[in-house]
């Protein structure tokens, strides 16, 4: 029934006042300033409606604007038309490539927030290094060069092009040389662009060099087999691995790949089939690889060559001229045993050396050839493209430049002013080059000297490709518009060589269409799109050929011995050994606060480099840890604090390069460590990192920012380890599972876990301690960076940490862990190391929960220990009561405090934050949540697909990035899940289980293949 | 009462000549009714400077965050909770003196209970400031109360010892305040009736209209007795609960069943020491030697000696149990107290608390004012270190060796602590200026038969056992407020 | 009749005053009240004042406090929002004993103290009803209502004989300010 009733809105309507009539003519009570908004003026208007639009669009708009050119970033406008692929709140993944690894880039609302490994990546199968994890932060680095510069002045790109083209034309006329200096480039398209540039400018030459060089291996392969390449090593095929100073699990060539390979012979699966590889490491300083070795022998740099000669002799039964025994009996013994074991494992053996000396590497080639490694553990036919640099080329360039022959130099991803060993020479040489062009992304030491800075894109803004291993091609695609006014270096080169192809995207497309796509069985637009989704093309590998070594070794041995003798330090001198630290590597990423705060896996030092020395030497010099000493070698000297490093060869000092950067970002410029590159020297055609050094104490003292200062586990039920022999006899050995376990009773019935029981298993035998998980966790969970001073106060915020414990072996080979007994040991260089990832154990009887006064931390029905930041008042009682000390307190407001601005609180760096995880305010406690946002996302996805969560659907950040697959996470209620299987392992134990806190994380006993040495 | 004749061998509780009810009032009210002397002003200047330092340091903490203290991921409590427990412990003496000694009819409490109770209240205030200021988000402190909140029906965790603490400390503070203030009413009425003008008006409001009628006094006494009765278990419960902050945790060195009695004994120990520190100065500065006599000083020293020894036994028990339990972590923690990096703190703790107080076995020490004062300070230092050792030395090396760390205080830590002492003394000095520092009504009770004058009269009257008289005379020798020559003639 | 409303006998010694009370009672002089600067033990019996029942009040308040907090805890943690806290049962009674005790004490002491204030009419700002200003200092004052049948001179004499140091005939009930 229709109603005839009429309702008035007010007396005005009843009376039909003139104002009411006027107002009511329009749809809205007040006119909407559409015209104003659209004409641009409206952006400044102050209507509430616009505020609403602003709010709606803010999340997406902020980033878009940040990535837009010339628009001030403090304004925000909403998407007028929503980009099809962006759904607020839903992440998009793009496949790309980082240093040859196929990766996935997670973007939210148009901004990349995390890098994840592509599970199908040939190299690491989804594992990623700490560097790759942290690379996303570099994208938002405010210290990047934000626009091109000519002579230090900001210019438009066309002005730069005009200027450069004019200059290049002049050089062309004069016939002088042009040099393109880059670090190793493995991208086929980049190499093609450079080739095109050289065609356009025939006097140009491309010089590749690496800050830490592999010229020695490349040259040795040239000398031995006529192939100037870096071979592809297969550690998974090696039963016996002997390494001479090669840190192959971390910094040497391809750490993640080698980790995956190496661990496959030592993880749970391998152990259960009663197989475990054997790894003997001879090295000077304690490297990450050394910590994982079954047997580790400290060796001075001067002894390395001698030891290799002895090994060669023992394997082949010959005696090279000049052979002498090593001074240390244990080392001699180890060489004999290593030779025996290697010979027994012929075809399944591998010897690697970290040296950059051609002669040494030639000898290694001879040993490997004698062991039949070529074709099995070493693949020369599917070679690695990761390093190609030639030290001699750069030296030649310097010579030319000093003569004034070079008229222009282009730096692409190269910073020789910082990392060339002879700073003086390179500076002098560059002073004579009139046109210096830098493509570097930051105003680093080299770019600061450049006439033209044409800043390159970050790789997440770029098109491109890569080929780390011959036959394996990965593609790079941009995931965001350029954040700053930068241009891809390749595009600049195309423009400057007046190429017909105007954009680098087209160039890459053409190159792939022509050369690569077909190899993967793809073609055309469809093929290209498939590629962008899969991320790579892998051509079936060529059969690796067996190579035999037929060169004369007498001269080689002579060179090695001469060099060894020259390295023997005299009285009061020490043998210096330079290495790359696991986090900072060659120093290119030194401006990355995540990496700076990543503790060194061995020393646990952050934010500094140091001089590692042995206890004997420290005692002899009457030095304490933290005393600053001057190290004098090769005519330069640097001052560094000393660090007592167990396992350091006596009479040696190890110093990490990559620190002491002078320019290139706010973090760097706050002063981090000292530059050790000048301590390198050029010998026998390559740059080498060993020298004789004199040291003297300065009297100063520095407190190193270490995250761990007690280094043994005091025999506690924290670490459990066993030898492989014991394990073979009894797989339960030392895990306590064979009846030694007490049945800890509960006073109450346990709570139900109706659907899920999230648990974790960590295999101590797989974990190499690299720390990639720490950075992955930082990126995933917005963990703040606190800086050196705060780490010194022991306040790092990492939710997951890697505890590293030394066991000191006494003369009888018995492990000693108790502090007071260690103090009695004379020699603390024979150490075994274990790495233990430690994170919130999500105890079922969580001691932290009981004591929280405000119920800010309680248990979920899925077995997780929750933390409600909003409820926390910050009494810190939970942290005190946590036996694992995994809770982290926000001592300061890390996100809004000028003291922490350089780390993550910069205007753009905050764009890297994961919007699924809140940043924590000061005064609240935080800790590992088992990536609860990922668990929720996984459950939601399953719910939408109307199915239960499958095993493997949800991967936590630390697990995902682990190349060694040491961390397994999943539903403990599902007996078939990977984690349930792992926890059923005989080796499983729980840390401090006698406290009956019932941790949710089970660890697997560390097994060492040590037995055979004693035999 | 009047019929009760006290034995001559008991030492007098009030000394001096010509002590009448009026003189008691005049003497005790002298500081309240007159302008403060120089000593007071000097003390007040220093104390209030300390209080200013406290305000500054606490404001600094609030502004920048708890990070301005020296705490770290391993040592989450240090000077803050040390200070908290120290102050709570000190507070205990007041209640003990007024409640327990009242139950035991120890009349010597009458002269010292008022200031001791005031001390309790101020010490608990200082402790409470730590409770709030040690929080990461003190502005959210209300979350610790079971109040409805924006999280729906999220309440507080009654399993947490910190919530027990909230209840215990707030109850303790408010009950102590009631006890103290009720006792003050008759004395405030006295001030009121002697005063004029606005002064009288203020005290009139404060006196609640007290008249001193028979019924009022009767109920007053009942209230005092029952409050004493329930304050006694209360005061024991408070430090028991404070000790449970540690005892119910999982930390080796904290997780100890002996903590409740051990902490209570320690609290009495430190509390009496603080009372001693204060009263020795107060009696001198305010000229109250006749009311706070050597008998009081010695009695308190005896309690300090006894409780100090109890604490010593607790220490030994702790070590024995750590050894006997076979608990690996427990054993390490106790060993670490001596051989670890904080050995010096343990030396301070055991040295000051156990070794130094043993000299009080000597009467000469007990009755020497200067030594008593120094020892009382030593005890307070020792007790501070006891809490420091328990908290920091246990935390800094617990289960997982990788997290072992050192604690280094910052200037803020130190300032908050020193400042809290300033706050305490400021409050105390103000108190002795505006309220009678000795309970007048209760001292008047003693006048009739426990005063020296009365006993002298008894001796003069004869009828007493000469041997007992001799004993009494001998006992008077230690008094600094007694003119012994009078007795030689008697 | 004179305008005297109350006769006050001021003593300077409690024992003498007690003696005075005896004397007055022997002479059947009704005593209005006695004001003393300190509690006098035994005076209640003499004046026939019943024992205080504040103890019962304290006990009841204590029981109330304990019950209140325990039911609150049950409501919070057992009924309203039961949670898994460290794997413990929802109503872990031993854990709640400390708070129960504290609130028993709190309620008992506050309940009793406020009952005392209420029954004795003590509250901040109440005008003090003082008959003699020295009664809170050094005088023990026996107040006799002058309206009684005994002649004022007799009362004065009895007091004098009993040893009163001063005898006052007050025209106003209270000498204090309003």
């Amino acid at each position: 029934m229709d109603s005839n009733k009429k309702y008035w809105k007010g007396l005005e309507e009843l009376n039909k006042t003139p104002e009411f009539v006027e107002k009511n003519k329009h749809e809205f009570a007040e006119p909407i300033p559409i015209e104003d908004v659209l004409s641009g003026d409206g952006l400044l208007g102050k209507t509430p409606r616009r505020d609403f639009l602003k709010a709606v669009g803010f999340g997406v708009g902020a980033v878009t604007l940040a990535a837009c050119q010339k628009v001030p970033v403090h304004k925000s406008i909403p998407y007028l038309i929503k980009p099809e692929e962006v759904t607020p709140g839903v992440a998009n993944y793009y496949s790309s490539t980082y240093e040859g690894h196929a990766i996935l880039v997670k973007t939210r609302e148009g901004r990349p927030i995390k890098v994840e490994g592509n599970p199908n990546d040939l190299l690491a199968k989804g594992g990623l290094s700490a560097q790759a994890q942290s690379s996303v932060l570099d994208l938002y680095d405010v210290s990047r060069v934000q626009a091109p510069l000519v002579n230090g002045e900001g210019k438009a790109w066309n002005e730069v092009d005009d200027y450069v083209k004019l200059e290049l034309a002049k050089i062309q006329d004069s016939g002088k040389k042009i040099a393109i200096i880059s670090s190793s480039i493995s991208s086929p398209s980049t190499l093609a662009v450079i080739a095109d540039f050289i065609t356009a400018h025939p006097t140009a030459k491309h010089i590749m060099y690496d800050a830490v060089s592999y010229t020695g291996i490349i040259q040795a392969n040239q000398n031995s087999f006529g192939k100037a390449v870096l071979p592809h090593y297969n550690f998974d095929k090696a039963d016996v691995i002997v390494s001479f100073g090669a840190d192959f699990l971390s910094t040497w060539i391809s750490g993640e790949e080698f980790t995956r390979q190496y661990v496959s012979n030592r993880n749970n699966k391998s152990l259960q089939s009663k197989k475990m590889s054997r790894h003997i490491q001879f090295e000077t300083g304690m490297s990450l690889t050394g910590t994982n070795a079954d047997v580790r022998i400290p060796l001075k740099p001067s002894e390395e060559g001698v030891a290799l000669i002895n090994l060669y002799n023992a394997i082949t039964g010959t005696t090279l001229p000049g052979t002498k025994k090593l001074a240390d009996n244990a080392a001699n013994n180890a060489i004999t045993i290593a030779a025996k074991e290697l010979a027994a494992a012929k075809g399944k053996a591998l010897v690697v050396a970290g040296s950059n000396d051609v002669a040494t590497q030639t000898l290694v080639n001879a040993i490997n050839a004698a062991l039949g490694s070529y074709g099995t553990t070493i693949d020369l036919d599917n070679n690695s493209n990761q390093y190609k640099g030639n030290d001699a080329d750069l030296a030649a360039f310097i010579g030319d430049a000093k003569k004034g022959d070079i008229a222009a130099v282009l730096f692409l991803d190269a910073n020789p002013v910082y990392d060339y060993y002879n700073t003086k020479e390179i500076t002098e040489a560059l002073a004579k080059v009139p046109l210096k062009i830098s493509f570097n992304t930051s105003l680093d030491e080299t770019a600061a000297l450049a006439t033209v800075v044409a800043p390159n894109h970050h790789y997440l803004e770029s098109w491109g490709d890569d080929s780390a291993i011959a036959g394996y091609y990965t593609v790079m695609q941009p995931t965001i518009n350029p954040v700053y006014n930068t241009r891809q270096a390749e595009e600049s080169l195309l423009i400057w060589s007046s190429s017909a192809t105007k954009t680098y995207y087209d160039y890459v497309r053409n190159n792939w269409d022509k050369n690569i796509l077909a190899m993967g069985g793809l073609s055309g637009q469809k093929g290209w799109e498939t590629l962008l989704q899969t991320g790579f093309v892998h051509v079936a590998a060529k059969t690796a050929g067996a190579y035999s070594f037929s060169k004369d070794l007498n001269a080689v041995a002579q060179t090695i011995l001469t060099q060894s003798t020259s390295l023997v330090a005299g009285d009061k001198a020490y043998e210096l050994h330079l290495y790359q630290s696991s986090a900072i590597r060659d120093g290119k990423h030194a401006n990355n606060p995540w990496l700076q705060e990543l503790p060194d896996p061995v020393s646990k030092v952050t934010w500094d480099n140091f001089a590692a020395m042995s206890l004997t030497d420290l005692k002899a010099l009457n030095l304490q840890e933290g005393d600053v000493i001057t190290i004098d070698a090769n005519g330069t000297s640097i001052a560094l604090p000393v660090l007592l490093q167990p396992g350091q060869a006596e009479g040696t000092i190890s110093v990490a390069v990559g620190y002491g950067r002078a320019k290139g970002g706010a973090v760097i410029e706050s002063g981090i460590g000292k530059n050790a590159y000048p301590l390198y020297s050029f010998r026998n055609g390559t740059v080498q990192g060993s020298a004789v050094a004199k040291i003297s104490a300065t009297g100063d003292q520095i407190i190193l920012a270490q995250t761990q200062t007690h280094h043994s586990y005091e025999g506690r039920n924290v670490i459990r380890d066993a030898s492989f022999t014991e394990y073979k006899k009894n797989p339960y050995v030392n895990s306590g599972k064979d009846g030694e376990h007490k049945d800890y009773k509960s006073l109450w019935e346990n709570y139900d876990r109706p659907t899920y029981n999230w648990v974790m298993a960590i295999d101590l035998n797989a974990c190499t301690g690299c720390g990639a998980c720490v950075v992955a966790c930082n990126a995933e969970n917005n963990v703040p960076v606190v800086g050196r001073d705060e780490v010194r106060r022991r306040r790092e915020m990492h939710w997951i940490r890697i505890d590293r414990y030394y066991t000191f072996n006494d003369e009888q080979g018995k492990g000693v862990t108790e502090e007071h007994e260690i103090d009695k040991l004379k020699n603390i260089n024979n150490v075994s190391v274990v790495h233990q990832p430690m994170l919130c154990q999500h105890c079922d009887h969580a001691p932290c929960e009981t004591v929280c006064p405000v119920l800010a931390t309680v248990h979920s029905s899925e077995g997780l220990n929750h933390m409600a930041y909003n409820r926390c008042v910050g009494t810190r009682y939970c942290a005190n009561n946590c036996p694992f000390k995994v809770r982290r307190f926000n001592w300061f407001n890390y996100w809004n405090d000028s003291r922490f601005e350089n780390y993550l609180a910069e205007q753009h760096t905050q764009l890297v934050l994961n919007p699924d995880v809140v940043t924590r305010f000061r005064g609240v406690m935080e800790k590992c949540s088992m990536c609860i946002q990922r668990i929720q996302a996984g459950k939601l996805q399953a719910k939408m697909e109307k199915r239960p969560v499958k095993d493997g659907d949800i991967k936590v950040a630390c697990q995902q990035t682990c190349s060694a697959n040491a961390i397994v996470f999943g539903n403990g209620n599902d007996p078939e899940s990977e984690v349930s299987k792992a926890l059923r392992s005989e080796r499983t134990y729980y840390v401090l289980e006698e406290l009956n806190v019932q941790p949710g994380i089970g660890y697997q006993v560390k097994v060492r293949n040590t037995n055979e040495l004693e035999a | 009462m009047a019929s009760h004749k006290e034995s001559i061998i008991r030492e007098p509780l009030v000394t001096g000549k010509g002590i009448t009810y009026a003189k008691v009032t005049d003497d005790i009210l002298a500081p309240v009714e007159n302008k403060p002397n120089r000593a007071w002003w000097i003390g007040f200047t220093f104390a209030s400077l300390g209080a200013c330092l406290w305000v500054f340091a606490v404001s600094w903490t609030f502004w920048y965050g708890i990070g301005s203290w020296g705490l770290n991921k391993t040592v989450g409590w240090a000077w803050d909770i040390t200070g908290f427990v120290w102050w709570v412990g000190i507070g205990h003496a007041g209640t003990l003196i007024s409640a327990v000694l009242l139950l035991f009819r120890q009349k010597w409490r009458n002269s010292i209970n008022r200031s001791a109770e005031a001390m309790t209240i101020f010490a608990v205030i200082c402790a409470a400031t730590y409770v709030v200021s040690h929080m990461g988000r003190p502005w959210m402190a209300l979350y610790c109360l079971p109040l409805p909140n924006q999280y729906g029906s999220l309440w507080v965790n009654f399993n947490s010892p910190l919530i027990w603490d909230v209840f215990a400390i707030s109850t303790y503070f408010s009950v102590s305040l009631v006890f103290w203030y009720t006792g003050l009413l008759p004395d405030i009425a006295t001030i009121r009736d002697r005063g004029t003008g606005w002064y009288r008006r203020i005290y009139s409001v404060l006196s609640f209209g007290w008249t001193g009628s028979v019924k009022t006094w009767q109920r007053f006494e009942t209230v005092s007795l029952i409050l004493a009765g329930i304050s006694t278990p209360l005061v024991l419960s408070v430090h028991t609960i404070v000790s449970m902050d540690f005892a119910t945790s999982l930390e080796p060195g904290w997780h100890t069943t002996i903590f409740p009695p051990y902490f209570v004994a320690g609290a009495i120990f430190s509390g009496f020491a603080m009372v001693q520190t204060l009263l020795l100065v107060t009696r001198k500065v305010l000229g109250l030697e006749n009311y706070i006599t050597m008998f009081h000083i010695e009695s308190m020293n005896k309690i300090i000696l006894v409780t100090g020894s109890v604490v010593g036994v607790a220490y030994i028990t702790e070590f024995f149990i750590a050894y006997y339990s076979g608990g690996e972590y427990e054993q390490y923690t106790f060993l670490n107290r001596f051989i670890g990096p904080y050995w010096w703190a343990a030396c301070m703790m055991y040295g000051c608390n156990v070794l130094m107080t043993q000299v009080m076995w000597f009467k000469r020490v007990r009755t020497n004012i200067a030594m008593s004062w120094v020892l009382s300070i030593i005890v307070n230092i020792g007790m501070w270190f006891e809490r420091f050792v328990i908290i920091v030395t246990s935390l800094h090396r617990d289960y997982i060796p990788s997290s072992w760390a050192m604690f280094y205080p910052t200037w803020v830590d130190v300032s908050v602590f020193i400042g809290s002492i300033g706050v305490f003394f400021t409050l105390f000095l103000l108190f002795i200026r505006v309220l009678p520092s000795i309970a007048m009504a209760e001292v008047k009770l003693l006048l009739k038969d426990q005063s020296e004058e009365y006993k002298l009269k008894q001796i003069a009257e004869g009828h007493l056992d000469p041997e007992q008289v001799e004993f009494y005379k001998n006992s008077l020798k230690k008094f600094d407020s007694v003119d012994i020559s009078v007795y030689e003639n008697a | 009749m004179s305008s005297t409303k109350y006769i006050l006998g001021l003593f300077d010694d409690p024992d003498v005053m007690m003696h005075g009370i005896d004397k007055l009672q022997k002479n059947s002089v009704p005593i209005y009240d006695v004001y003393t600067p300190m509690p006098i033990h035994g005076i209640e019996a003499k004046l026939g004042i019943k024992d205080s029942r504040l103890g019962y009040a304290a006990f009841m308040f204590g029981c109330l406090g304990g019950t209140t907090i325990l039911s609150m805890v049950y409501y919070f943690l057992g009924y309203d929002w039961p949670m898994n806290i460290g794997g413990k049962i929802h109503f872990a009674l031993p854990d709640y004993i400390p708070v129960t005790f504290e609130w028993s004490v709190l309620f008992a002491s506050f309940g009793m103290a406020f009952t005392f204030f209420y029954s004795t009419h003590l509250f901040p700002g109440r005008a003090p009803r003082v008959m003699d200003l020295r009664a809170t200092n050094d005088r023990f004052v026996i107040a006799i209502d002058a309206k009684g049948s005994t002649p004022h001179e007799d009362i004065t004499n009895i007091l004098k004989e009993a040893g009163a140091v001063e005898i006052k005939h007050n025209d106003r009930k209270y000498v204090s300010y309003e």
Side-chain angles (χ1 to χ4, degrees), chain A residues 707-718 790 793-796 801 803-805 818-820 836 838 847 849-856 869-877 879-885 887-893 897 899 921-924 991-992 994-995 997, chain B residues 61-77 80 134-141 143-145 147 149 151 154-163 244-246 248-251 254 328-329 332-333 335-336 339 395 397-406 410:
Chain A
T707 58
Q708 181 181 352
T709 50
H710 192 89
H711 306 299
S712 68
Y713 62 90
E714 299 287 319
R716 295 186 170 187
N717 183 21
V718 173
E790 288 295 289
R793 290 196 196 104
R794 308 297 300 270
R795 289 176 180 172
E796 71 280 359
R801 61 172 198 258
D803 290 343
R804 181 267 302 116
Y805 295 110
E818 267 97 350
E819 190 178 30
H820 57 276
Q836 180 176 47
M838 184 49 75
E849 291 170 12
T850 316
V851 299
C852 173
V854 294
L855 289 173
Y869 309 124
N870 277 351
R871 177 70 175 171
C872 179
V873 297
T875 66
R876 302 179 296 288
Y877 197 178
N880 285 341
N881 209 26
C882 173
F884 308 98
K885 289 286 172 280
R887 286 178 158 264
R888 294 289 176 265
F889 187 68
N890 284 273
W891 300 102
F892 291 112
N893 195 2
D897 186 323
R899 285 171 294 179
F921 193 65
R922 82 160 154 101
V924 305
V991 172
L992 299 174
E994 67 269 36
L995 299 179
V997 293
Chain B
T61 310
F62 282 8
W63 187 256
Y64 288 106
I66 293 294
S68 49
W69 296 1
L71 305 168
N72 56 44
K73 62 175 182 174
T74 309
V75 183
W77 289 347
D80 46 355
H134 99 287
M135 285 181 183
R137 302 202 297 168
W139 53 94
M140 296 296 185
Y143 283 174
C144 294
L145 304 177
L147 301 171
N149 53 61
Y151 301 114
L154 183 59
W155 304 101
V156 298
N157 184 3
F158 285 96
N159 299 294
S160 167
L162 286 188
I163 285 298
M244 283 174 182
D245 287 348
F246 307 106
T248 64
S249 80
L250 210 60
E251 282 287 296
W254 285 12
E328 178 187 358
Y329 309 110
Y332 181 83
T333 297
L335 199 62
N336 184 49
I339 61 165
L395 277 176
R397 290 187 162 190
D398 66 343
Y399 290 103
I400 301 264
S402 75
S403 295
W404 290 3
M406 292 294 287
T410 63

Side-chain angles (χ1 to χ4, degrees), chain A residues 13-33:
Chain A
E13 186 173 357
L14 179 67
N15 300 334
K16 297 252 181 235
T17 60
E19 298 92 73
F20 175 79
V21 175
E22 177 58 31
K23 260 182 161 179
N24 225 21
K25 274 187 195 161
H26 308 291
E27 187 183 355
F28 298 106
E30 285 168 34
I32 302 167

Side-chain angles (χ1 to χ4, degrees), chain B residues 2 25 153 159 200 237 448, chain C residues 13 15 80 95 102 137 177:
Chain B
T25 316
S153 41
N159 299 294
R200 158 180 279 198
S237 83
K448 198 75 186 143
Chain C
D13 186 296
D15 295 343
D80 188 31
D95 284 359
E102 294 302 328
N137 185 355
Y177 24 73

Side-chain angles (χ1 to χ4, degrees), chain A residues 535-751:
Chain A
F536 62 90
V537 159
H538 185 208
V539 185
K542 286 181 233 164
T543 320
Y547 289 78
S548 59
F549 187 88
S550 55
K551 300 288 183 299
D552 177 37
L553 275 175
N554 287 354
V556 168
Q558 214 46 56
T559 319
I560 292 172
L561 287 170
T562 319
Q563 181 152 298
S564 289
T565 320
S566 76
L567 280 176
V568 174
D571 205 23
K572 298 223 172 112
Y574 291 83
E575 292 184 22
L576 177 70
H577 157 241
L578 298 171
Y579 68 101
Q580 294 183 79
S581 90
S582 178
I584 301 301
R585 307 267 164 123
D586 61 6
K588 285 207 174 67
H589 307 296
N591 201 45
N592 193 312
W594 278 340
L595 290 180
Q596 288 289 1
E597 196 149 296
L598 173 64
D600 180 78
V602 181
S603 64
K604 297 292 162 193
V605 174
T606 61
W607 293 100
D608 261 316
N609 61 344
F610 48 83
M613 294 179 78
S614 76
L615 180 68
T616 329
D617 293 336
L618 283 188
K619 272 189 182 157
L621 290 163
N622 202 17
L623 287 175
Q624 300 286 323
E625 197 164 85
D627 284 349
V628 178
I629 55 165
T630 326
I631 302 167
D632 209 323
N634 297 333
T636 50
S637 73
I638 58 172
L640 283 173
V642 293
L643 175 109
L644 165 59
Q645 178 61 59
Q648 180 80 24
E650 279 171 26
T652 65
I653 310 169
S654 288
V655 175
V657 296
Y659 290 85
R661 292 277 307 272
K663 290 194 177 89
V667 175
I668 285 175
E669 281 153 29
S670 67
I672 300 168
K674 296 280 156 51
N675 186 5
Y677 278 111
L679 300 176
Y680 269 96
S681 51
F682 195 77
R683 289 200 302 266
N684 302 337
T686 56
V687 174
Q688 299 201 23
S690 50
V692 175
K694 286 224 174 345
I695 68 170
S696 54
T698 60
D700 292 343
Q701 262 227 328
I702 287 177
I703 299 166
L704 287 165
Q706 277 175 292
T707 58
Q708 181 181 352
T709 50
H710 192 89
H711 306 299
S712 68
Y713 62 90
E714 299 287 319
R716 295 186 170 187
N717 183 21
V718 173
I719 298 295
R720 291 176 170 224
D721 56 0
S723 77
F724 185 49
T725 323
E726 289 172 309
Y727 173 80
K728 273 191 288 189
K729 272 190 227 139
N730 173 17
Y732 290 101
V733 65
N734 292 348
S735 74
K737 265 192 158 182
D738 52 347
E740 190 199 309
H741 267 298
K742 285 198 193 69
D743 184 18
Y744 295 104
K745 294 268 188 300
S746 291
L747 284 175
W748 317 282
E749 270 181 43
N750 280 338
Y751 281 87

